[in-house]
Amino acid sequence: MVGTKFFLYIRKSTNDETHQVVSLDSQAVELRQLAKRDGVHISETFEESQSAKNPGRPLFNKMLDRIERGEANAILTWDIDRLCRNPIDEGRIRWLLQQGIITEIRTPMRRFMPHDAGVLMAVEGGRASDHIMKTVYNLKRTMRDKLRNGKFPGSHVAYGYA
């Protein structure tokens, strides 16, 4: 698409090197293959190792600031949940898309255009946020269950539990 400048955004949820080790690499490889197949030129890659549960990811915000300045107008990412898992970030993305500042968000599954900034993006953003809320809820239940059964609710056994 003429005039479309893409930023590639890849993210994994933790900066712990023992978790999700291949996540960033696999996202990058697959998305670069998609870009090549579709003739998409990637201006720059933003690679972040931080949860999107809360707003305030530095590289994500830097990327959106640069889009607002006109340095790019499209995002290539693995899934909407790589961009947002909280309503603050979701709202910013949706607003930029609705205003046409972001002209496209492309994933391997679909393309989001400015006319998708309403219900479709709300559903996708809600799905991403809901995942975090359910994970927290289920994790708390698991920890309560372990305690009820006399087990330590963490990954390392504390003194007195062995």
Side-chain angles (χ1 to χ4, degrees):
M1 183 181 284
V2 176
T4 304
K5 294 180 182 177
F6 279 85
F7 281 156
L8 172 63
Y9 182 80
I10 56 176
R11 180 184 68 78
K12 66 177 185 170
S13 299
T14 179
N15 60 9
D16 179 355
E17 293 305 316
T18 62
H19 294 90
Q20 301 177 336
V21 175
V22 298
S23 179
L24 291 174
D25 286 340
S26 65
Q27 287 177 59
V29 166
E30 298 236 2
L31 290 169
R32 285 190 177 105
Q33 288 174 348
L34 173 70
K36 185 176 181 180
R37 184 194 75 207
D38 290 354
V40 167
H41 173 72
I42 298 169
S43 298
E44 189 167 339
T45 298
F46 293 84
E47 181 179 305
E48 198 152 45
S49 297
Q50 185 172 344
S51 171
K53 176 181 162 186
N54 297 312
R57 287 170 286 145
L59 289 178
F60 172 78
N61 286 324
K62 179 182 177 181
M63 178 185 70
L64 293 185
D65 291 345
R66 290 181 59 189
I67 288 172
E68 287 177 322
R69 288 194 302 266
E71 295 180 38
N73 58 358
I75 301 171
L76 178 62
T77 192
W78 183 253
D79 188 80
I80 292 300
D81 70 5
R82 298 297 83 202
L83 298 175
C84 58
R85 282 201 186 264
N86 69 75
I88 303 290
D89 292 341
E90 176 200 345
R92 187 173 180 197
I93 288 283
R94 286 179 60 201
W95 178 252
L96 294 174
L97 187 62
Q98 180 179 336
Q99 296 302 304
I101 296 166
I102 295 175
T103 60
E104 179 183 347
I105 299 172
R106 190 178 298 199
T107 73
M109 297 292 288
R110 64 173 43 119
R111 294 167 67 177
F112 298 89
M113 309 304 271
H115 62 270
D116 298 319
V119 174
L120 182 58
M121 283 296 293
V123 168
E124 289 294 320
R127 173 187 59 84
S129 292
D130 190 59
H131 174 79
I132 289 292
M133 291 186 295
K134 284 181 179 175
T135 299
V136 168
Y137 180 77
N138 289 328
L139 182 60
K140 286 179 180 179
R141 184 195 71 220
T142 299
M143 289 171 37
R144 286 190 306 269
D145 190 55
K146 283 184 174 185
L147 286 170
R148 266 193 304 277
N149 291 311
K151 297 178 182 169
F152 184 72
S155 60
H156 296 88
V157 176
Y159 180 75
Y161 274 85

